[in-house]
C-alpha cells in the first residue's frame, strides 16, 4: 500500500514566484514568473546554501536552531530578514535531519544553466511587450462593465509597468483613451438633453438650453472623431513601414 502523506502543500504562481518540484522519478518540473536570469541566480544561491556550513554545524544539528556562530547575520538587512526565520524552523530541521539526495547540486546547476539565456534569441524573448493601441482598446472592452470605463482603463494602463512604451506608443494610447472619454462625455450631454426635453418639453424658454446641449454634444463628438482619424492615419503609416 503506498504511503499516504501527512499533509499536501498546494502552491501556485499566485502565491510563489518560483516553484521547483523534484519527483522520485522523472525530470524536475519548474514553474516560474521571474525573469530567467533572476530565477537562475536564485537556484544557484540555493545550491551555494546547501554547500555552506550554515545550519549544518554540530550546534545547529543538536539544537535544531540557527548556530550563533555560523548563522549570524552578516548585515543589518540580513538581521531583519532573520526575524522571519522562526516560520522556517520546521523546514530547516527537516533538511538537517534528512539525508541529502545524491546529485542535488548537479541537478540545481543543470536547471540553473538551462534557465540562463545564452544567446540573443533568448534575450529578445525576455524583453517585455510594447504597449499598443490595441492593448488599450482591449482594456477598454475588459472594463466595459465598470462604473467609469475610461477611468478604470487609464488606471490599468498607468499601473502596467511591464510594457515598454515609446513616445509614439504613448501618444497612441492617449488618443484612444481621450477618444473614449470624449464619446463618454458626449453620451452624458445627450442623456441630459433628452432628460431636459422629456421633463420640460420643447418651448420658447427651453429651446435655447436644448440647442446649447446639442451644440456641445456635436463639438465633443467632432473632437472624438478627430482623435480617431489621427490614430487611424498613424496606424496606417506604421503598417506601411512594416510591409516590405
Amino acid at each position: 500500500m503506498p504511503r499516504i502523506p501527512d499533509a499536501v502543500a498546494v502552491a501556485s504562481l499566485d502565491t510563489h514566484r518560483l516553484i521547483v518540484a523534484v519527483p522520485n522519478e522523472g525530470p524536475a518540473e519548474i514553474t516560474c514568473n521571474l525573469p530567467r536570469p533572476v530565477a537562475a541566480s536564485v537556484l544557484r544561491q540555493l545550491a551555494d546554501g546547501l554547500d555552506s556550513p550554515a545550519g549544518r554545524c554540530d550546534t545547529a544539528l543538536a539544537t535544531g536552531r540557527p548556530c550563533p556562530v555560523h548563522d549570524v547575520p552578516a548585515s543589518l538587512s540580513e538581521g531583519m530578514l532573520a526575524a522571519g526565520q522562526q516560520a522556517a524552523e520546521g523546514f530547516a530541521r527537516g533538511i538537517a535531519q534528512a539525508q541529502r539526495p545524491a546529485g542535488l547540486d548537479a541537478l540545481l546547476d543543470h536547471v540553473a544553466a538551462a534557465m540562463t539565456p545564452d544567446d540573443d534569441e533568448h534575450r529578445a524573448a525576455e524583453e517585455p511587450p510594447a504597449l499598443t493601441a490595441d492593448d488599450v482598446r482591449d482594456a477598454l472592452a475588459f472594463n466595459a462593465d465598470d462604473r467609469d470605463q475610461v477611468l478604470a482603463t487609464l488606471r490599468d494602463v498607468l499601473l502596467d509597468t511591464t510594457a515598454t512604451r515609446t513616445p509614439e506608443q504613448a501618444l497612441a494610447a492617449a488618443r484612444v483613451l481621450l477618444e473614449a472619454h470624449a464619446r463618454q462625455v458626449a453620451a452624458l450631454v445627450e442623456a441630459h438633453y433628452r432628460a431636459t426635453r422629456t421633463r420640460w418639453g420643447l418651448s420658447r424658454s427651453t429651446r435655447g438650453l436644448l440647442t446649447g446641449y446639442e451644440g456641445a454634444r456635436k463639438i465633443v463628438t467632432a473632437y472624438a472623431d478627430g482623435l480617431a482619424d489621427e490614430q487611424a492615419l498613424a496606424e496606417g503609416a506604421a503598417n506601411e513601414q512594416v510591409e516590405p
Side-chain angles (χ1 to χ4, degrees):
M1 178 177 180
R3 186 181 70 86
I4 300 177
D6 297 333
V8 177
V10 179
S12 71
L13 291 181
D14 292 332
T15 56
H16 296 70
R17 302 300 300 275
L18 174 64
I19 303 170
V20 179
V22 184
N24 292 331
E25 297 180 359
E29 297 181 3
I30 300 175
T31 305
C32 177
N33 59 10
L34 290 170
R36 293 168 65 91
V38 176
S41 176
V42 171
L43 290 171
R44 288 197 175 92
Q45 291 177 27
L46 290 175
D48 293 341
L50 290 172
D51 284 333
S52 69
R56 294 193 287 117
C57 66
D58 292 339
T59 300
L61 292 175
T63 63
R65 294 179 178 275
C67 174
V69 175
H70 296 102
D71 301 332
V72 62
S75 65
L76 177 61
S77 60
E78 290 183 6
M80 295 175 64
L81 291 175
Q85 191 159 359
Q86 291 182 351
E89 286 181 358
F91 176 76
R93 286 195 296 270
I95 291 296
Q97 295 172 2
Q99 181 180 1
R100 183 172 171 175
L104 183 56
D105 287 344
L107 171 64
L108 290 174
D109 287 340
H110 174 75
V111 172
M115 297 189 68
T116 303
D118 54 2
D119 52 38
D120 294 338
E121 181 179 353
H122 285 159
R123 292 188 184 93
E126 291 170 7
E127 293 182 358
L131 179 68
T132 66
D134 287 337
D135 293 333
V136 181
R137 295 186 183 103
D138 291 341
L140 283 168
F142 179 80
N143 292 317
D145 295 331
D146 197 275
R147 183 178 62 86
D148 193 323
Q149 176 191 24
V150 178
L151 185 62
T153 304
L154 178 60
R155 172 203 63 200
D156 295 342
V157 171
L158 293 177
L159 286 176
D160 184 9
T161 58
T162 61
T164 61
R165 58 205 72 185
T166 64
E168 292 77 10
Q169 291 163 346
L171 182 60
R175 288 195 193 101
V176 174
L177 286 172
L178 287 176
E179 178 199 348
H181 180 62
R183 298 196 187 282
Q184 189 179 52
V185 172
L188 291 174
V189 174
E190 175 68 17
H192 201 59
Y193 169 88
R194 293 184 179 278
T196 301
R197 181 162 182 169
T198 300
R199 181 176 182 181
W200 303 106
L202 180 60
S203 63
R204 182 178 300 177
S205 59
T206 61
R207 186 183 301 275
L209 179 61
L210 295 174
T211 301
Y213 286 154
E214 183 65 15
R217 184 190 64 79
K218 290 180 178 179
I219 292 173
V220 176
T221 300
Y223 174 69
D225 292 340
L227 289 172
D229 292 341
E230 290 178 11
Q231 182 57 30
L233 290 174
E235 292 181 9
N239 292 333
E240 289 180 359
Q241 293 178 357
V242 173
E243 293 177 357

